[in-house]
Amino acid sequence: MTPYENFTFFIWMLVPLAPAVLLGFLGVSGRIRSLWLIFSTLFMVGVIYRPIAALFQVTVFFLWAYLIVYFFLRLKQSERGKQQETLKRVYHFALLAAILPLALVKLNPYVNALGIWQSPLGFLGISYVTFRTVGTVIEIRDGLIKDVKFIDFLSYVLFFPTLASGPIDRYRRFLGDLEKKLTRKEYGENLAEGIDHIFRGFLYKFVIAYLINKYGLIRLSTDFTWTATLQYMYVYSFYLFFDFAGYSAFAVGVSYILGIQTPENFNKPFISKNIKDFWNRWHISLSSWFRDYIYMRFVLDSAKKKRFKNKYTTAYVGNLLLFGIMGIWHGTELHYIVYGLYHALLMIGYDWLERKNKTRNVWGKGWAWDSLAIVVTAHFVFFGFLIFSGRLF
């Protein structure tokens, strides 16, 4: 069952949420509340992943992820782990092991077409579970995480409101909410915020996105004239936002009701004044994850090893790497790869323009220039979504 796709899911969700509200207003300790969250997660994972075969896949993947995290943490804390070269090799092995199931799923259509092998994994949300595991491994390596308990890691990785499509939380931030004792007033504020998000999710996903799809996308999907394609670009862009933002609003809202303040995923992305601003507003948890764990680490490592002659080349290659991986993560089809590279070029172009503007005043200031910047940025973004849709290919 896909989360938040139909009202049946919301009925099932009342089972963990109703007692969570009661516990919240009773002001119970953080540990009791976290125990209920574990039960809620296990119950809803059972609801989402039916039949048993799918639940088995999730269980196997989780145990695999925990063993990677557990053994890497123990090695880092051991005497042997103090040998930097050994730790570095094991760290890279742990990362590869964490990514391996997702990589096999992404490559599965190709190897299956050749009749070689078919991945036994491929459950809904495997990407986001992988991101959480990889992020935990990286922060263990950085010394930010000193201990990972089995139950806490299970609650974090399989947290059902955000299991299928995010937002992507960080282990330390999640654990802080999990262990925190909320007063009645604090929980009441959480509950109000959660209900507000859920109503917003219904408006976005089941009203606006539904109407856009029914009266826009369906009509345009069979018309491939250039005027229809232009209309499709706008319609698809707004449909994608309201559908995905609606899902994210549900995920954040349910999280708040359970006492977990999951980060926001969208912040008015279509009023961005440049492409960098857009990626700080669109799918925020994913873009920040890629920025922190891929782009910044690549840039810092390249500077340390003097891989490139200047910092701008380093940043440009970093953007190509970041958005190239992001494109492939969406899928290995050509339009996803082109979408990633397109945004890498936009980021590179904006960086070049921004530097030129500091010396030559290419871009002005004031509300008129800001309005123009919003319109121009939006159209670059919309064309990117047209690429993403696959219609051009």
Side-chain angles (χ1 to χ4, degrees), residues 53 58 76 140 168 180 319 342 389:
V58 177
K76 190 174 187 302
I140 288 173
I168 307 169
K180 182 180 179 181
N319 276 312
Y342 169 78
S389 72

Side-chain angles (χ1 to χ4, degrees), residues 228-357:
T229 299
L230 183 63
Q231 293 176 57
Y232 187 91
M233 180 180 76
Y234 293 110
V235 172
Y236 179 77
S237 297
F238 283 103
Y239 169 78
L240 190 64
F241 167 72
F242 283 110
D243 185 70
F244 196 10
Y247 175 94
S248 295
F250 283 135
V252 172
V254 175
S255 299
Y256 267 72
I257 293 175
L258 290 169
I260 304 295
Q261 296 185 357
T262 294
E264 296 287 348
N265 227 8
F266 294 91
N267 180 23
K268 303 174 183 176
F270 295 149
I271 65 168
S272 304
K273 296 178 183 178
N274 56 67
I275 197 64
K276 186 183 292 186
D277 187 27
F278 171 78
W279 280 108
N280 287 328
R281 294 171 176 270
W282 176 273
H283 207 339
I284 301 169
S285 64
L286 179 69
S287 59
S288 63
W289 193 97
F290 273 88
R291 180 195 65 217
D292 294 346
Y293 295 136
I294 296 178
Y295 176 81
M296 291 303 301
R297 288 169 189 276
F298 172 80
V299 168
L300 292 173
D301 185 65
S302 296
K304 181 180 178 181
K305 297 178 179 178
K306 298 182 180 179
R307 197 173 280 133
F308 304 101
K309 290 184 178 180
N310 63 68
K311 62 181 181 180
Y312 301 119
T313 302
T314 303
Y316 296 161
V317 175
N319 276 312
L320 288 168
L321 177 66
L322 185 156
F323 286 100
I325 294 174
M326 187 182 289
I328 294 172
W329 168 71
H330 280 101
T332 53
E333 293 86 349
L334 179 61
H335 58 279
Y336 292 129
I337 297 172
V338 173
Y339 172 77
L341 295 177
Y342 169 78
H343 272 280
L345 293 176
L346 289 182
M347 291 290 284
I348 292 170
Y350 171 71
D351 181 77
W352 177 84
L353 180 63
E354 187 178 37
R355 286 190 288 112
K356 289 293 182 183
N357 192 51

Side-chain angles (χ1 to χ4, degrees), residues 180-191:
K180 182 180 179 181
K181 181 178 180 180
L182 297 172
T183 64
R184 290 186 179 87
K185 180 181 179 182
E186 289 173 330
Y187 182 76
E189 292 171 350
N190 270 10
L191 180 63

Side-chain angles (χ1 to χ4, degrees), residues 74-90:
R74 292 296 171 264
L75 177 66
K76 190 174 187 302
Q77 294 174 338
S78 68
E79 290 296 324
R80 185 184 173 195
K82 293 180 181 178
Q83 302 174 13
Q84 291 301 313
E85 198 58 37
T86 300
L87 181 62
K88 186 176 180 180
R89 285 197 293 267
V90 176

Side-chain angles (χ1 to χ4, degrees), residues 54-67 121 123:
L55 186 59
F56 177 75
Q57 291 179 357
V58 177
T59 303
V60 169
F61 183 92
F62 169 75
L63 293 175
W64 172 259
Y66 180 72
L67 287 174
L121 292 171
F123 59 87

Side-chain angles (χ1 to χ4, degrees), residues 99-110 117 119-123 126:
I99 296 170
L100 180 62
L102 177 60
L104 293 177
V105 169
K106 294 295 183 182
L107 294 173
N108 188 57
Y110 301 100
W117 178 78
S119 171
L121 292 171
F123 59 87
I126 186 172

